[in-house]
Amino acid sequence: GPLKSCDIPMDYASGKHKGFAFVEYVDAEDANEAIYNLDGSELFGRVLSVSLAQHNQTNSNKALWSSDDFFQTSEESKATDGNNPGGDNVESSLKED
């Protein structure tokens, strides 16, 4: 389906791409089809890992500690059992087995 945007991050120190991209589709159903059809497929000898991206949890225009949310999240993380101190960073995938 039609793409809304495509971002390919670059490592400016090496001048090369980092090896991943963020692709946004106009229609969510097209995105789900792309995940289903492309995850695990091969491109130029490399296996693709295609999944839903996580929402950006921080506002890059502000310092991370400039809001009370950072401190509350930090305190909540300390109160957990320590199995996942950084929060939920699990990638979702719609791949069917």
Side-chain angles (χ1 to χ4, degrees):
L3 298 181
K4 185 174 182 179
S5 67
C6 181
D7 182 26
I8 306 172
M10 180 174 256
D11 179 2
Y12 292 104
S14 69
K16 297 180 180 181
H17 295 289
K18 291 186 175 183
F20 61 93
F22 297 100
V23 178
E24 186 177 5
Y25 285 84
V26 173
D27 185 19
E29 193 169 317
D30 289 334
N32 289 334
E33 286 293 320
I35 292 169
Y36 179 77
N37 289 315
L38 295 174
D39 188 40
S41 64
E42 190 175 318
L43 179 67
F44 300 119
R46 297 180 68 181
V47 176
L48 298 177
S49 176
V50 182
S51 63
L52 293 174
Q54 296 293 312
H55 288 284
N56 189 357
Q57 296 179 353
T58 62
N59 184 350
S60 61
N61 296 332
K62 293 183 181 180
L64 183 62
W65 54 86
S66 67
S67 74
D68 290 337
D69 293 339
F70 168 75
F71 294 108
Q72 290 173 348
T73 303
S74 178
E75 290 301 316
E76 289 171 4
S77 294
K78 290 177 186 175
T80 63
D81 62 359
N83 287 337
N84 192 7
D88 293 331
N89 292 323
V90 178
E91 287 191 350
S92 299
S93 177
L94 298 176
K95 183 177 178 181
E96 295 180 14
D97 292 321

